[in-house]
Amino acid sequence: MTPPSAEAATLGAAPALERRPPSFALGPLGWLRANLFSSWLSTAVTLVLFYLLVSWTLSFLSWAVVNAIWDVPGTGQRVDTSACRAARGEGACWALIGEKYRFILFGLYPFDEQWRPALAIVIFIALYVVSAMRRFWRKELALIWFAALTVIGVLMWGGVFGLPYVEQERWGGLVITLILATFGIALAFPLSILVALGRRQTSMPAVKALCVVYIELIRGVPLISLLFMASVMFPLFLPEGMNIDKLLRAQIAIILFAAAYLAEVVRGGLQAIPKGQYEAADALGLTYWQKTGLIVLPQALKISIPPLVNTFIGMFKDTSLVLIIGIYDLLNTAKTSIIEPAWQGFGVEAYLFVAAIYFVFCFAMSKYSQDLERELDKGRRR
Amino acid sequence: MAEVVELGKVQVRSAVQPDAKPMIELRKVNKWFGALHVLRDVSLTVRERERVVVCGPSGSGKSTMIRCINRLETHQEGQIIVDGIELTDDLRNIDAIRREVGMVFQSFNLFPHLTILENCTLAPIWVRKMPRKEAEELAMEFLTRVRIPEQAKKYPGQLSGGQQQRVAIARALCMRPKIMLFDEPTSALDPEMIKEVLDVMVELAESGMTMVVVTHEMGFARTVADRVVFMDRGEVVEVGPPNEFFGNPRSERLRTFLSQILGH
């Protein structure tokens, strides 16, 4: 038997009043108490971690800011880096960046023409910003992309409008990374959607088999081996005298590689769409492509945003692998910038600099995808 | 036999003309799922403006039968002729039939990423190539008829089950179909929402729509049906007007079924 007393007291009494929660559960103090100091163990862990965080931050600041060397005498071949060497371990040598940032960002592009890749980078970033805004998601966006990429091509190659011609072998730095990543994502993504749809075509076994073979073959080999194939083996199959430039070959390898991974991500999203959605679309008389474009993909891609962006970010960084076939992307120019005897040993500074650039792009993607998810979720939840 | 739940309306008068042409004809239709024989020599004719209610125990093939009518399932033997067009593998025939046949599902199947209004205008715009403005006016007209015009800007996830099912009906009607199929439209609803959906269906019946309804709502069958079909184990066992069907069931199987769902 259950003791009836408490229950009986509640029954028939006045209706329970709505009250505020107890004060210790509210406000920043309540949060601190619940999350950092809920028990003696968690208090101890909080204090230890706080100590470590502060001491590491302080020593990093003293290396990166307080004791850092910002400038060294001389320039070019006659640079004197002895001040940096004296301060090694104590302070960062940011003079390296001051001396080499144009090489890191633009590679071997002719010095006087480096405003061209700089402008190309600005156009790329503007393109990303415009594409990110939902009010520009219209048919005209494709035209904007086409125009922007044409302008970038003209800027980089030159040879028209009085711009001196610059062969592709001299391109380098951030612009290479952005070219590989942008074309990589922009072309791999639509391709991956087609492959993912193809893999689900049970009524077309040949199409399905082709898609499965493509995905499994490409996923089964490392990107590096694809890049080697693109740079070394592929030209052997071309007729005498015909040559496709190395950057383009690497670009194609990256697109094919990324599309295989993205296809599986998209397929995951497609599988999450209930059968009833397909049936409702069929019952209304929509064609296959209308059903796919209007009903299935909008839902499937929305659920796939986190893994899609995961793959995009991975791809952005994987473009750095082109350094093994001798393309001067951002990472490769950073690596090359410290080859001169005067600057040898200052890798940390060079790599931190490019790491910061990579981080800005990747973090922007990550942040944007979170906002987009929230935006698309608005008003659609129960 | 227990009282049949009434819908607060008198019997809806039959709208079938004596010389009405057949809208749906099933002739000796057979279907198998793998080795399982789910439709066995099913023959049924539904005439223009006729309202047919299909009932039967679960697994009796009634949903499969109705889904064959707009080719969500394919039959393997026999003929299905809808609005004069025979259903074959020819995609043009399938598209032509689907344009004329509206369907309402047990689980609503609204498109969750589109607003209520967009759900209703999608097919008229893309399939019927109707101008957006006109499609929106049409959608609002039907949303008003199912009594939820004020929800037009919301998303399906914000509506109750009964409201969602009424939207699903409006969505199908926006294609101005000649035939409406209902596949257990109230089975997924909470009891208090069943009536609001049935009321809309009764109104639709009064307007003279040709309807095939798979349902367990025997009150609805009595009020609305011109004929009631009883299916069991893939066969059509008995067909008759509601009075005879409920008042004087001939087969033992139907008597057992009726006593199970009506006699508690």
Side-chain angles (χ1 to χ4, degrees), chain B residues 158-177:
Chain B
Q158 297 167 299
L159 268 56
S160 73
Q163 290 173 322
Q164 289 193 49
Q165 193 62 300
R166 285 186 280 148
V167 173
I169 294 172
R171 177 177 72 177
L173 290 176
C174 281
M175 282 293 281
R176 297 209 177 274

Side-chain angles (χ1 to χ4, degrees), chain B:
Chain B
M1 202 184 297
E3 261 287 306
V4 172
V5 185
E6 276 303 328
L7 282 159
K9 288 188 193 284
V10 284
Q11 177 83 34
V12 178
R13 201 161 355 113
S14 175
V16 188
Q17 305 293 316
D19 56 345
K21 60 172 181 172
M23 288 298 282
I24 305 170
E25 275 183 275
L26 286 82
R27 293 182 193 154
K28 295 214 170 266
V29 171
N30 279 278
K31 177 172 177 58
W32 291 263
F33 284 129
L36 194 66
H37 198 176
V38 289
L39 291 182
R40 307 179 188 196
D41 282 340
V42 171
S43 293
L44 182 71
T45 303
V46 180
R47 292 189 297 163
E48 192 170 16
R49 297 165 89 90
E50 191 178 15
R51 303 179 292 265
V52 172
V53 167
V54 184
C55 60
S58 61
S60 60
K62 52 195 193 304
S63 281
T64 308
M65 191 265 287
I66 201 176
R67 288 159 59 88
C68 280
I69 296 173
N70 66 350
R71 198 74 168 183
L72 289 182
E73 303 283 357
T74 51
H75 60 287
Q76 282 118 16
E77 275 179 17
Q79 277 182 304
I80 300 179
I81 300 159
V82 181
D83 194 22
I85 305 172
E86 178 169 1
L87 274 173
T88 57
D89 285 329
D90 191 336
L91 285 173
R92 277 167 307 169
N93 285 356
I94 297 173
D95 285 344
I97 285 167
R98 283 176 176 168
R99 277 196 292 273
E100 304 307 328
V101 179
M103 182 153 198
V104 176
F105 299 87
Q106 178 176 353
S107 48
F108 329 138
N109 295 348
L110 294 180
F111 305 127
H113 62 300
L114 301 178
T115 63
I116 299 308
L117 188 65
E118 288 165 343
N119 263 278
C120 294
T121 57
L122 184 90
I125 290 174
W126 289 91
V127 180
R128 290 252 190 256
K129 313 289 178 205
M130 193 183 278
R132 174 173 301 274
K133 188 115 184 55
E134 198 182 319
E136 283 176 357
E137 281 163 15
L138 182 70
M140 287 313 293
E141 184 191 322
F142 281 113
L143 285 174
T144 309
R145 261 177 67 180
V146 300
R147 292 187 282 277
I148 32 176
E150 72 284 359
Q151 312 283 3
K153 294 275 174 259
K154 289 194 183 168
Y155 287 93
Q158 297 167 299
L159 268 56
S160 73
Q163 290 173 322
Q164 289 193 49
Q165 193 62 300
R166 285 186 280 148
V167 173
I169 294 172
R171 177 177 72 177
L173 290 176
C174 281
M175 282 293 281
R176 297 209 177 274
K178 295 180 180 162
I179 302 165
M180 283 287 284
L181 308 176
F182 293 83
D183 187 4
E184 304 205 26
T186 56
S187 301
L189 294 175
D190 290 335
E192 74 269 23
M193 294 171 184
I194 290 176
K195 188 172 176 297
E196 65 189 50
V197 172
L198 290 181
D199 284 347
V200 167
M201 290 169 63
V202 170
E203 280 179 26
L204 190 61
E206 284 168 339
S207 75
M209 175 66 77
T210 308
M211 294 164 75
V212 180
V213 184
V214 172
T215 186
H216 296 292
E217 294 295 329
M218 291 302 121
F220 176 79
R222 283 203 178 210
T223 318
V224 166
D226 291 305
R227 284 185 300 153
V228 186
V229 176
F230 173 63
M231 287 184 71
D232 189 23
R233 284 181 235 139
E235 292 173 277
V236 172
V237 178
E238 201 164 329
V239 185
N243 287 343
E244 272 178 45
F245 187 90
F246 293 108
N248 187 20
R250 279 166 289 156
S251 65
E252 183 53 42
R253 281 198 267 179
L254 176 54
R255 273 196 290 274
T256 317
F257 176 72
L258 288 177
S259 70
Q260 275 164 353
I261 62 165
L262 300 174
H264 293 293

Side-chain angles (χ1 to χ4, degrees), chain A residues 41-217:
Chain A
L41 180 63
S42 96
T43 305
V45 171
T46 300
L47 292 178
V48 168
L49 288 180
F50 185 70
Y51 169 75
L52 290 176
L53 197 65
V54 168
S55 64
W56 280 333
T57 309
L58 286 179
S59 65
F60 178 78
L61 284 179
S62 101
W63 176 80
V65 181
V66 181
N67 295 322
I69 312 276
W70 301 91
D71 213 357
V72 288
T75 181
Q77 298 297 331
R78 270 185 289 281
V79 72
D80 176 14
T81 55
S82 53
C84 277
R85 300 217 174 268
R88 274 188 77 175
E90 301 294 314
C93 182
W94 298 124
L96 166 76
I97 306 301
E99 175 80 10
K100 294 286 188 187
Y101 78 95
R102 287 184 65 160
F103 178 77
I104 295 176
L105 290 177
F106 308 122
L108 293 167
Y109 209 87
F111 195 82
D112 292 331
E113 301 291 328
Q114 285 182 356
W115 62 271
R116 282 154 57 179
L119 188 54
I121 291 168
V122 170
I123 295 175
F124 266 127
I125 293 172
L127 196 55
Y128 304 150
V129 171
V130 168
S131 311
M133 286 191 257
R134 288 191 76 202
R135 71 187 132 103
F136 291 114
W137 288 8
R138 285 184 262 133
K139 290 195 187 92
E140 292 83 349
L141 192 58
L143 288 178
I144 294 179
W145 270 73
F146 182 74
L149 295 179
T150 311
V151 171
I152 287 170
V154 168
L155 276 173
M156 293 302 293
W157 264 298
V160 283
F161 306 125
L163 297 170
Y165 174 72
V166 178
E167 66 268 36
Q168 184 266 303
E169 280 70 23
R170 301 195 64 178
W171 302 4
L174 180 56
V175 79
I176 288 282
T177 298
L178 294 184
I179 288 173
L180 289 172
T182 308
F183 282 98
I185 291 173
L187 296 175
F189 188 37
L191 177 62
S192 73
I193 291 174
L194 291 179
V195 173
L197 291 170
R199 194 172 179 170
R200 289 170 57 83
Q201 292 301 323
T202 41
S203 56
M204 289 188 256
V207 172
K208 182 179 172 173
L210 192 70
C211 293
V212 172
V213 167
Y214 165 70
I215 291 172
E216 298 303 338
L217 267 187

